Amino acid sequence: MKVLHISTATGWRGGEQQAAYLITELQQLNVACMLLCPQDSEIQKRASCPQVFTFRKKGSLNFSLAGQIKKICIANQISLIHTHDSHAHTAAFISAWLFGNKTPVIISRRVDFAVSGNFFSGMKYNHPCIKKIICVSAAIQKLTAPAISDKSKLSVVHSGIDKNKFNLQQIKNKLRSEFNLSNDSLLVGNVSALADHKDLFTFIAAAEKINAAMPEVRFFLIGEGPERAALQAEVKNKKLEQVLFFTGFRKDVAEILPELDIFLMTSKTEGLGTTLLDAFAAKVAVVATNAGGISEIVQDGFTGLISDVGDAENLSRQVIKLIENKELKNRLTDNAFKFVDGFTYSTTAKKTLQIYKEVLGENN
């Protein structure tokens, strides 16, 4: 079996990490993987793939990329195409529709919003070349289903993580040292792109309320993105510059995440929320909003605490509750640490391989 994975993102976010994990683990399962991605993209640099093809990034309708896909499939006798983002899906669809590529296509869908109702999207999702649509959560499957004529094409495979990347025996105080905080400072943080759908203004609003009740708590937004300037202005406006810090993009998340006492996710849309799985594995207590597929992993009162989207008041109360109730906090983190064993990238790869075999008729 030869699978061509297509990713069109130049940066590095959750979807690219999941694609890289999948490629690595599939190769351990004797699947020959090839990767097609933008030249000098982060996934080109980070993914462990023996054969990588590149292209120059253009707009969403990249006809030269569609032609390149067909040529790669023919030259390398590709069994399946697996696309990992919307533009990759579009290019694979055009390769079949306009260039006559016969290679079956599997798409991964991670986004927490419905498929557009326009004619092109309808064609793109229902073309005969599309054999399976892998959704990262049941919530995403439910959102996607109305646009799909053949519902049997929909499957759910949750994202997975590398639980072993966190060294919980030797937690370093890098954040505390870097930002001149005492070792007993309480830290509440979020690891994500600083983007609109993460609703980090609600994080800041919750931080303001927590700070009023517990001035000793410090807050971290770990990541980079287009909302940074506006978020920093909001922090300044609320006079929180001495208690809420921006770290920028970090390559040492596996080292600094376990430092947090509480992970506060305020997203208003979220496919699944794999950073929450990372928090579980790092034994960090979680408070999160009930967005997208989050409730499939953050089980209220068992693996974390859940609040309505945008409810800074309740989110702040839940954070304070965990700070004050160490027994509850420890119980949630212990439950979450065990729960995350079902969400390894190895499990994700095995379930994905079963879908590949189903499409190719190899299950028997």
Side-chain angles (χ1 to χ4, degrees):
M1 185 188 300
K2 293 182 180 179
V3 179
L4 176 65
H5 296 270
I6 307 177
S7 171
T8 66
T10 55
W12 186 257
R13 293 173 65 174
E16 291 69 59
Q17 177 66 85
Q18 289 302 309
Y21 277 154
L22 182 62
I23 290 168
T24 297
E25 196 62 21
L26 284 173
Q27 290 175 105
Q28 296 300 314
L29 297 172
N30 297 315
V31 177
C33 291
M34 300 178 191
L35 172 64
L36 175 59
C37 62
Q39 187 173 344
D40 299 322
S41 61
E42 286 298 317
I43 196 168
Q44 180 189 2
K45 300 170 187 175
R46 302 190 194 200
S48 298
C49 191
Q51 192 162 4
V52 179
F53 305 94
T54 62
F55 63 90
R56 290 288 182 185
K57 183 87 177 196
K58 295 182 181 179
S60 58
L61 292 177
N62 190 337
F63 292 97
S64 62
L65 174 58
Q68 184 181 3
I69 291 169
K70 182 181 178 182
K71 290 178 182 177
I72 292 171
C73 288
I74 293 172
N76 295 278
Q77 297 181 309
I78 298 297
S79 312
L80 287 170
I81 294 169
H82 189 157
T83 68
H84 294 276
D85 56 68
S86 179
H87 289 174
H89 173 192
T90 299
F93 158 63
I94 293 174
S95 183
W97 178 39
L98 297 182
F99 290 81
N101 190 6
K102 303 300 183 185
T103 310
V105 178
I106 292 172
I107 65 176
S108 283
R109 185 162 172 84
R110 299 183 171 91
V111 291
D112 182 18
F113 50 81
V115 175
S116 173
N118 64 51
F119 178 74
F120 184 79
S121 289
M123 288 181 60
K124 174 174 144 177
Y125 277 89
N126 291 291
H127 191 274
C129 74
I130 307 298
K131 303 302 181 183
K132 279 288 182 179
I133 301 168
I134 301 177
C135 303
V136 297
S137 65
I140 300 306
Q141 183 185 44
K142 184 177 179 180
L143 271 173
T144 306
I148 310 304
S149 299
D150 182 358
K151 304 293 192 284
S152 69
K153 291 184 177 183
L154 292 161
S155 295
V156 175
V157 177
H158 290 115
S159 299
I161 65 160
D162 179 7
K163 187 177 181 179
N164 297 320
K165 69 182 177 182
F166 301 104
N167 184 354
L168 303 183
Q169 304 304 314
Q170 294 182 337
I171 297 176
K172 300 177 181 179
N173 281 323
K174 292 182 74 172
L175 287 176
R176 290 176 173 86
S177 174
E178 195 173 317
F179 289 87
N180 298 313
L181 304 176
S182 65
N183 286 343
D184 58 355
S185 298
L186 291 168
L187 307 187
V188 175
N190 181 297
V191 181
S192 71
L194 306 185
D196 176 70
H197 70 282
K198 299 296 183 180
D199 193 15
L200 296 170
F201 287 96
T202 292
F203 181 100
I204 295 169
E208 181 182 33
K209 295 177 185 300
I210 296 164
N211 177 250
M214 295 183 154
E216 69 276 17
V217 179
R218 296 295 178 264
F219 305 88
F220 283 91
L221 288 176
I222 302 167
E224 193 54 83
E227 294 266 294
R228 178 163 180 162
L231 291 166
Q232 287 179 316
E234 181 73 356
V235 168
K236 185 176 181 180
N237 181 56
K238 291 183 178 294
K239 297 180 171 57
L240 295 173
E241 304 104 305
Q242 301 305 311
V243 298
L244 196 159
F245 307 103
F246 293 79
T247 71
F249 177 77
R250 302 287 293 234
K251 292 185 177 181
D252 58 349
V253 170
E255 294 181 34
I256 62 178
L257 179 56
E259 275 193 72
L260 300 180
D261 295 284
I262 296 171
F263 191 105
L264 175 59
M265 177 173 274
T266 54
S267 299
K268 54 187 175 183
T269 65
E270 199 72 51
L272 182 67
T274 50
T275 53
L276 295 173
L277 295 174
D278 281 334
F280 289 177
K283 283 203 161 186
V284 177
V286 166
V287 173
T289 47
N290 189 15
I294 288 176
S295 63
E296 293 173 41
I297 53 177
V298 182
Q299 299 175 4
D300 193 34
F302 183 70
T303 59
L305 298 179
I306 285 280
S307 181
D308 289 338
V309 171
D311 191 347
E313 182 68 44
N314 194 48
L315 287 164
S316 63
R317 282 199 300 264
Q318 289 177 326
V319 170
I320 292 170
K321 182 179 181 178
L322 290 184
I323 292 173
E324 293 179 337
N325 190 336
K326 290 185 179 180
E327 182 182 350
L328 173 61
K329 178 174 175 286
N330 291 337
R331 185 169 74 250
L332 295 179
T333 53
D334 287 344
N335 290 342
F337 187 73
K338 295 171 186 174
F339 177 83
V340 82
D341 284 336
F343 292 84
T344 64
Y345 64 79
S346 175
T347 300
T348 300
K350 288 174 183 176
K351 290 180 177 179
T352 303
L353 179 55
Q354 283 305 114
I355 291 173
Y356 290 174
K357 289 180 176 180
E358 179 186 339
V359 168
L360 295 175
E362 295 183 7
N363 275 339
N364 296 323

